[in-house]
Amino acid sequence: MSSLFPALTEGRTDGRTDRPALRFGDRSLTYGELGAASGALAARIGGAGRVAVWATPALETAVAVVAALEASIAAVPLNPKSGEKELGHILADSAPTLVLAAPGDELPPPLRDLARIDVDVRATGPVPHGEASVDDAPALVVYTSGTTGPPKGAVIPRRAVAATLDALADAWQWTGDDVLVHGLPLFHVHGLVLGILGPLRRGGSVRHLGRFTTEGVARELNAGATMLFGVPTMYHRIAQTLPDDPELAKALGRARLLVSGSAALPVHDHERIAAATGRRVIERYGMTETLMNTSVRADGEPRAGTVGVPLPGVELRLVEEDGSPITSYDSETVGEIQVRGPNLFTEYLNRPDATAAFTADGWFRTGDMAVRDPDGYVRIVGRKATDLIKSGGYKIGAGEIENALLEHPGVREAAVTGEPDADLGERIVAWIVPADPESPPTVAELADHVANRLAPHKRPRVVHHLASLPRNDMGKIMKRALTRD
Ligand code: MCA
Ligand code: AMP
């Protein structure tokens, strides 16, 4: 059976074990060192059930996930900034038997009750023997928000990881010679699957910035990195910085590939970057549940405002309201994107009800609305659910924030919406009826409350106070009627 990371085992036979694999700041691992460290850890965790990974942007996270994959154990990456409610839910739902963390990392209370293994990136255990096989067994459980309720754990099989990374290799001409740079978080698909497992599957390397800065991007691209991955907020910040930063322009001009994803990159930012650097950013479209579905190809036309064409192996169709697939592309007829292929997740953990997201014949309903150009390029034009907000590339359900706000003593009623934001794409706006109109809670108070319960990126940036929320006859909040008063 083929292996997820051939480069880890091949290096031993062709003597290329000293090739760089991972670099985080001034700490790095070669393929030989990664094989030894992950092999040693895999041997220690073998036979465990699911393992949680305290997914800081550090070498330890990458070693932990590779080790879990080698040990054929599903890894559950945790946002180290998760608040108590979110963390409590994820732990109760995924029931890990162990947590893997960097030595010295302090873990919050719910995790202290779990057995902990410190990840030693310098360990020299038995190197893997190619056990990281490609099959239907779960590789990762990644938590993703829905419109209501707490986040759902998408169970991502090993074959989906392999299929999506190989399809991207085809579309992007991505090889072991590529050096990727990014500063994405490692508890989501974008940063972890594409940004860490991607280079490792190709036998190439990744330099992680720890946190995204335009200086870090310029430094690494000027020092030989060939590819940059980012969310639109990062490219927006690059576009804002370019006029005053010739080093950054030079660095981007050198890159082989600049890739944006997780949300739409506005055409204005595309154009500013192209004008300043001579390079075009290409967009790809994916989801936690589906991994990657489409991309502008490296050898294709980089058409701003589109997410390109279906990746090899991915079937994609647009379906109208009445369920009929759109058969001719006119750049105008809008339908829901449905996808089918080896890149799909298998289920939401403990949520058989949510598998209604699949049609009887295996198509996954993405909830994204799109048109297609006559040559097949996909243009995303919106989302079915207004209660899903994309802020900084993070998907955030309005319902989970509303529930958290309602747990604040100063809030009697709450509704949450997304408002256009030049930097974040959308910003989270809370509309509340204060318990005491004389002393309503401040925006800072509610932001802290949500950040501590859920996660900082879910905090409201704006809070409006209302005497009552607009409701229809059924008592349902009419979000479209919410306007600033
Ligand atoms: C501010 N902070 C707070 C509070 N206020 N912390 C606690 N309580 C508060 N009240 C902290 C934040 O945690 C953060 O800390 C710092 O202040 C600044 O916060 P903020 O302005 O919100 O964010 P930012 O640092 O400017 O972040 C912008 C960003 C980020 C870097 C673009 O949004 C980001 O990394 N986005 C990536 C999302 C992503 O990877 N999505 C992929 C999922 P500190 O500075 O210490 O962090 S989508 C996916 O995977 C699919 C498959 C796909 O298609 O890709
Ligand atoms: P998540 O569930 O966090 O993985 O986010 C997936 C969602 O991000 C998709 O359903 C899309 O709505 C959105 N998305 C991802 N990539 C793009 C893109 N290039 N353009 C527009 N939306 C995107």
Side-chain angles (χ1 to χ4, degrees):
M1 202 173 302
S2 60
S3 162
L4 268 176
F5 305 115
L8 272 184
T9 39
E10 279 163 11
R12 284 182 299 148
T13 48
D14 66 7
R16 293 185 300 156
T17 52
D18 56 352
R19 276 178 309 155
L22 303 163
R23 200 175 87 194
F24 287 74
D26 52 10
R27 302 170 73 218
S28 58
L29 291 179
T30 63
Y31 273 91
E33 291 164 336
L34 175 61
S38 59
L41 184 57
R44 289 183 72 188
I45 62 178
R50 278 188 277 274
V51 294
V53 177
W54 190 241
T56 55
L59 271 183
E60 283 80 2
T61 299
V63 171
V65 173
V66 171
L69 288 167
E70 279 167 1
S72 292
I73 293 170
V76 187
L78 302 175
N79 175 356
K81 288 197 179 146
S82 287
E84 58 204 69
K85 185 174 175 179
E86 183 163 292
L87 195 56
H89 163 72
I90 293 174
L91 293 176
D93 192 53
S94 62
T97 55
L98 282 174
V99 56
L100 306 180
D105 274 359
E106 201 179 319
L107 303 183
L111 277 167
R112 292 189 203 143
D113 299 337
L114 267 185
R116 168 180 179 153
I117 292 187
D118 280 342
V119 179
D120 177 2
V121 302
R122 298 288 160 203
T124 50
V127 275
H129 290 80
E131 292 91 329
S133 59
V134 174
D135 55 31
D136 277 348
L140 296 164
V141 180
V142 179
Y143 278 80
T144 182
S145 293
T147 51
T148 56
K152 294 173 285 195
V155 180
I156 298 170
R158 306 163 73 89
R159 52 116 173 113
V161 172
T164 221
L165 294 177
D166 294 351
L168 292 178
D170 178 84
W172 297 343
Q173 298 168 3
W174 186 359
T175 72
D177 292 332
D178 278 303
V179 178
L180 171 66
V181 56
H182 71 88
L184 292 156
L186 300 188
F187 46 86
H188 277 306
V189 162
H190 194 167
L192 180 62
V193 178
L194 275 59
I196 299 290
L197 304 183
L200 296 181
R201 181 152 173 87
R202 298 275 72 79
S205 69
V206 52
R207 300 178 190 167
H208 195 283
L209 298 172
R211 62 175 301 149
F212 170 83
T213 60
T214 54
E215 295 79 17
V217 168
R219 187 185 61 239
E220 296 305 334
L221 289 176
N222 274 328
T226 62
M227 301 169 87
L228 170 67
F229 291 175
V231 296
T233 301
M234 296 171 180
Y235 284 101
H236 176 77
R237 292 179 185 180
I238 286 172
Q240 294 285 91
T241 310
L242 277 171
D244 306 314
D245 191 342
E247 275 300 296
L248 180 61
K250 201 167 77 189
L252 291 172
R254 283 192 172 144
R256 188 179 76 74
L257 214 58
L258 307 172
V259 187
S260 175
S262 302
L265 181 64
V267 171
H268 179 56
D269 288 333
H270 269 287
E271 284 171 354
R272 290 196 295 170
I273 293 171
T277 70
R279 303 312 305 268
R280 297 222 158 249
V281 178
I282 63 169
E283 285 193 70
R284 93 299 181 281
Y285 156 66
M287 274 183 99
T288 303
E289 293 89 335
T290 65
L291 304 188
M292 294 304 114
N293 296 311
T294 72
S295 183
V296 171
R297 296 181 57 90
D299 56 3
E301 184 201 333
R303 206 175 298 164
T306 84
V307 293
V309 294
L311 289 165
V314 178
E315 291 179 86
L316 183 145
R317 65 183 190 183
L318 299 186
V319 177
E320 290 195 271
E321 201 71 39
D322 63 4
S324 54
I326 296 169
T327 48
S328 75
Y329 309 141
D330 57 5
S331 306
E332 272 177 21
T333 315
V334 179
E336 182 189 29
I337 301 176
Q338 297 189 353
V339 289
R340 195 162 65 173
N343 53 313
L344 263 55
F345 75 137
T346 44
E347 57 169 344
Y348 292 112
L349 198 65
N350 306 320
R351 291 292 304 273
D353 58 309
T355 53
F358 285 100
T359 66
D361 46 359
W363 292 90
F364 177 72
R365 303 179 173 100
T366 64
D368 291 311
M369 306 302 289
V371 301
R372 289 184 87 169
D373 288 348
D375 59 3
Y377 271 57
V378 177
R379 291 178 188 270
I380 297 178
V381 296
R383 264 190 308 268
K384 245 183 167 170
T386 50
D387 276 349
L388 283 179
I389 300 163
K390 266 271 165 169
S391 189
Y394 288 109
K395 183 155 86 177
I396 303 161
E400 59 178 317
I401 309 176
E402 288 160 0
N403 291 338
L405 289 170
L406 288 169
E407 285 165 10
H408 188 283
V411 176
R412 198 168 71 211
E413 289 184 73
V416 165
T417 58
E419 213 172 61
D421 186 282
D423 183 46
L424 295 170
E426 287 183 289
R427 61 176 163 264
I428 296 169
V429 178
W431 307 79
I432 64 153
V433 178
D436 176 2
E438 298 302 313
S439 68
T442 64
V443 61
E445 218 179 304
L446 293 177
D448 281 351
H449 173 78
V450 174
N452 294 333
R453 304 282 293 149
L454 304 177
H457 64 265
K458 297 182 178 178
R459 71 190 189 276
R461 311 282 173 141
V462 180
V463 175
H464 298 299
H465 301 143
L466 301 174
S468 64
L469 294 178
R471 291 181 185 273
N472 66 15
D473 292 345
M474 312 287 288
K476 191 171 165 355
I477 299 167
M478 295 189 295
K479 294 209 174 168
R480 289 185 208 282
L482 285 169
T483 50
R484 210 173 293 228
D485 53 7

